[in-house]
């Protein structure tokens, strides 16, 4: 159902809530000097919850074509919106007691965070290249600022510069790809583009132009998801940014990047009916995606082995996880898509948890070096336990949630008959076990470095740790609702 | 009437100059100018295609690109100013606190 602008507003409440909240936060920030540090977080949390309510209940199960073919409302977008709002909410809670951010003025932080979240929600349901580009830039530009948020900090500055240079060049390349696609098909709408490709057949187009356009476009998506040839910014940006921002970047924009990648491939390039993957003849799509995925996970895991800075290590580990998530896209069926969603869902809890521990330890020790984590078990047993769970979960060891993600991804690949690909993935998980275990070893087995005072963990952070631990521990038992939820979320909007 | 291939060739040349510029230039501001060049190449190609297809949406897209490019330049220059205050240099090679 094609809706005009006024009709669409009814389905646009989540985004409208975020826009209003963003403006209110800015106003509160400049007008209430005393109350703003209390009001702004509360407003942000309330806005995220209200947006999640609208997404989950009011827009539930609807399928519509909003704003004259700009946005699609479907269960796929609904999954991503809830996922992104949850990630933003957890990051807001985790940033409240972060010493790094407390030094600087906080009002803009929440406004920026709401702006990024708005951009990501739009990314998740855009079906037009124009809105796709605009929402992607909204996310990118705001995250450049968030990365460089510590103005006097040289690392933060440098991270921000590297981010914006890589980001601008990759989105420039992506735009050139868009312009070529527009030139070939005469449309910016993904479904019309697909129909143009299908009706004329790929033979009707110059093979080299198609190849060039799609490779350039993938550069932009690869940058957002930090897949391998476009990953160079990732470790530096993650290491230099304030830790809550790093936690946010490692989960939310990455997931939004996967959302547009999936939308672009599934609705823009293939028939929705099934596994029609020979559409663009010049390119063997599964092979290209397998190549990117294998490279991404292998490089991420091997580079993580030698890192001594925990933030950098987690950055490389997040690159590796992007590789695992991409494994699901290779299969190009509902099953593969479902495994991607499950992996992202469990990845949210384990990765945000790991970064929360890093934030807490930095608050008292001012260090990200693994060497300074020695003897942490004696100083903060609960924190060490939590970190152990998150690390084992990231490795994919059975009783924890990370196992569920890896299981589904590998299953999807094996069902397709790509056994060697699953073997590569498993070997990679074994390599990854080494550096995750190294953190646990440093915290538990190594002798302390002289510091014996118990580490202070604020009540809020303890509650948040528990909240992140619970999904990591119980999701394996309660996998059934997750599976049903994701299985119902793989329905992409079918077209005009 | 000038055939569309001329515009596309010019656009491709501009884009390549921009890409090579971002790789070989060492001054941050020059790199940003090269990025603007890339975006303008995209704009030219969009306008040419929009004219070729007799459609309007390609031209509207160009306005979006220009607006976003302006925002990007503003953010970029802000970051450059912050970096310059801390280091007194515009050379990207000296932004090397973090490696590997």
């Amino acid at each position: 159902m094609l809706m005009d602008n006024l009709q669409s507003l009814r389905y646009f409440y989540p985004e409208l809530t975020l826009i209003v909240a963003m403006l209110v936060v800015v106003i509160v920030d400049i007008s209430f000097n005393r109350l703003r540090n209390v009001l702004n977080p509360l407003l942000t949390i309330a806005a995220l919850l209200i947006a999640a309510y609208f997404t989950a209940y009011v827009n539930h199960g609807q399928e519509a074509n909003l704003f004259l073919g700009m946005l699609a409302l479907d269960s796929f977008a609904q999954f991503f919106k809830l996922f992104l709002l949850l990630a933003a909410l957890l990051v807001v809670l985790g940033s409240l007691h972060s010493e790094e951010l407390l030094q600087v003025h906080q009002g803009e932080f929440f406004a920026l965070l709401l702006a990024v979240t708005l951009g990501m929600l739009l990314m998740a349901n855009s079906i037009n290249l124009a809105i796709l580009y605009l929402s992607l830039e909204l996310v990118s530009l705001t995250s450049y600022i968030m990365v460089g948020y510590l103005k006097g900090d040289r690392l933060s500055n440098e991270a921000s510069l590297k981010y914006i240079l890589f980001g601008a060049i990759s989105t420039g390349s992506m735009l050139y790809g868009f312009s070529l696609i527009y030139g070939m098909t005469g449309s910016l709408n993904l479904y019309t583009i697909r129909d143009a490709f299908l009706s004329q057949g790929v033979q009707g187009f110059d093979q080299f132009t198609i190849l060039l356009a799609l490779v350039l476009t993938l550069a932009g998506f690869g940058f957002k998801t930090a897949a391998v040839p476009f990953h160079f910014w990732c470790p530096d940006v993650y290491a230099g940014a304030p830790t809550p921002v790093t936690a946010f970047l490692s989960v939310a924009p990455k997931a939004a990047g996967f959302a547009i990648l999936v939308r672009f491939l599934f609705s823009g390039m293939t028939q929705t009916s099934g596994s029609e993957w020979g559409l663009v003849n010049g390119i063997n799509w599964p092979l290209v995606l397998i190549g990117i995925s294998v490279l991404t996970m292998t490089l991420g895991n091997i580079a993580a082995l030698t890192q001594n800075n925990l933030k950098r290590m987690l950055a490389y580990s997040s690159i590796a996880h992007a590789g695992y998530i991409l494994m699901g896209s290779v299969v190009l069926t509902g099953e593969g898509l479902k495994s991607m969603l499950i992996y992202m869902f469990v990845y949210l809890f384990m990765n945000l948890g790991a970064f929360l521990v890093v934030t807490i330890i930095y608050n008292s020790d001012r260090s990200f070096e693994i060497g300074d984590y020695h003897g942490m078990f004696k100083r903060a047993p609960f924190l060490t336990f939590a970190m152990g769970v998150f690390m084992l979960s990231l490795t994919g060891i059975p009783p924890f949630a990370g196992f569920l993600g890896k299981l589904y991804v590998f299953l999807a690949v094996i069902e397709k008959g790509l056994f060697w690909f699953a073997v590569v993935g498993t070997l990679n998980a074994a390599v990854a076990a080494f550096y995750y275990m190294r953190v646990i070893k440093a915290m538990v087995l190594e002798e302390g470095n002289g510091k014996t005072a118990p580490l202070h963990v604020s009540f809020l952070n303890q509650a948040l740790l528990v909240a992140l631990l619970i999904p990591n521990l119980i999701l394996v038992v309660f996998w059934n609702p997750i599976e049903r939820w994701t299985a119902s979320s793989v329905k992409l909007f079918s077209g005009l | 009437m000038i055939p569309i291939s001329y515009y596309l060739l010019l656009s491709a040349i501009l884009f390549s100059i921009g890409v090579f510029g971002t790789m070989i230039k060492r001054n941050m501001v020059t790199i940003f100018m090269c990025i603007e060049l890339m975006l303008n190449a995209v704009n030219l190609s969009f306008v040419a295609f929009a004219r070729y297809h007799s459609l309007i949406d390609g031209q509207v897209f160009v306005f979006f690109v220009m607006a976003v490019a302006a925002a990007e330049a503003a953010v970029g220059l802000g970051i450059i100013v912050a970096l310059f205050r801390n280091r007194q240099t515009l050379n990207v090679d000296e932004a090397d606190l973090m490696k590997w």
Side-chain angles (χ1 to χ4, degrees), chain A residues 327-349:
Chain A
M327 275 178 98
S329 74
V330 170
V331 187
L332 298 163
T333 54
E335 284 298 303
L337 200 50
K338 189 181 82 181
S339 70
M340 283 174 87
L341 299 186
I342 293 179
Y343 200 105
M344 269 183 259
F345 188 68
V346 297
Y347 173 71
L348 167 81
F349 295 110

Side-chain angles (χ1 to χ4, degrees), chain A residues 39-54:
Chain A
L39 273 181
N40 280 335
L42 285 180
L43 272 171
T44 313
I45 291 166
L48 292 170
L49 287 175
I50 294 169
Y53 167 78
F54 280 132

Side-chain angles (χ1 to χ4, degrees), chain A residues 130-160:
Chain A
I131 200 82
L132 207 154
Y133 165 68
L134 283 178
S135 53
L136 196 132
E137 280 291 14
L138 177 56
V139 173
S140 302
L141 286 177
T142 344
S143 34
Y144 303 150
I145 305 175
M146 283 169 79
V147 168
Y149 201 68
L150 309 174
K151 266 190 292 186
D153 184 84
R154 295 174 71 167
L155 284 180
S156 182
N157 285 335
E158 185 179 320
S160 176

